[in-house]
Amino acid sequence: MLTRLIYASEAAEDLDPVKVQTLLDHARRSNRLRDITGMLVFDSRHFLQVLEGDRQLLSDLYGRFVHDSRHRRLLILGVEPIAQRLFSDWSMGFAAADESRRALYLRHSASGRFEPHGLSAAGALAVLQDFAGEASPDGS
Ligand SMILES: Cc1cc2nc3c(=O)[nH]c(=O)nc-3n(C[C@H](O)[C@H](O)[C@H](O)COP(=O)(O)O)c2cc1C
């Protein structure tokens, strides 16, 4: 069953751009093999990620997140069956939630900060779709 899963988490360690690139390279290779698509937004502390694909494969992947020491404060924001993908262009798109994109998350947060743990499922999806507009195919 085609499913969309959205979650938030925090980086448990400092992730510099090289480490983020290594993470993305691995995620993209692995997601291509499993026909998983999605988008990751990171502000150097918080992650917001959407994953689309087979329900069992997404559940297995989330299980691996639980054991990944780079994550803490994992929080599922939404899981739903979907008729079609919204992020089919990306095995894992990436956009940095940095100062240059402040206007974008001001649209979604009264504080003007990137705080994915406080988002509803619909709010998180709207943020991810806005960020997807900033990412080139597969973030390259
Ligand atoms: C923020 C973040 C996002 C990740 N996204 C993915 C992903 O989309 N796909 C994936 O396979 N692994 C992803 N990972 C890595 C998994 O947590 C885990 O390390 C990996 O699936 C283990 O793969 P392996 O069993 O092939 O070593 C992500 C890790 C982090 C910290």
Side-chain angles (χ1 to χ4, degrees):
M1 186 189 295
L2 191 61
T3 296
R4 177 179 303 124
L5 185 154
I6 306 178
Y7 76 90
S9 77
E10 260 180 38
E13 57 182 71
D14 272 349
L15 285 180
D16 59 33
V18 175
K19 286 184 180 167
V20 172
Q21 193 55 52
T22 305
L23 184 163
L24 284 172
D25 289 345
H26 180 98
R28 286 172 181 153
R29 264 197 309 277
S30 158
N31 291 352
R32 269 185 211 114
L33 290 174
R34 297 177 172 85
D35 197 21
I36 291 173
T37 53
M39 176 83 203
L40 175 69
V41 179
F42 181 50
D43 72 346
S44 79
R45 179 160 170 222
H46 305 91
F47 295 113
L48 174 63
Q49 190 173 22
V50 57
L51 296 153
E52 298 172 333
D54 173 73
R55 177 169 68 170
Q56 185 65 60
L57 292 178
L58 293 193
S59 180
D60 294 348
L61 178 55
Y62 194 81
R64 294 205 292 282
F65 291 162
V66 173
H67 296 287
D68 188 328
S69 60
R70 292 169 292 186
H71 278 303
R72 68 169 175 223
R73 279 188 80 205
L74 275 162
L75 178 68
I76 293 177
L77 300 177
V79 190
E80 58 174 350
I82 51 172
Q84 58 194 38
R85 297 172 194 249
L86 286 173
F87 301 88
S88 54
D89 286 350
W90 299 273
S91 57
M92 190 42 59
F94 178 75
D98 57 20
E99 278 301 304
S100 70
R101 297 191 172 119
R102 176 179 278 278
L104 197 154
Y105 43 93
L106 261 176
R107 242 183 271 156
H108 301 278
S109 144
S111 71
R113 283 195 292 271
F114 181 64
E115 293 171 323
H117 286 81
L119 292 170
S120 65
L125 186 59
V127 171
L128 285 153
Q129 285 187 282
D130 273 3
F131 273 96
E134 304 273 309
S136 44
D138 255 339
S140 52

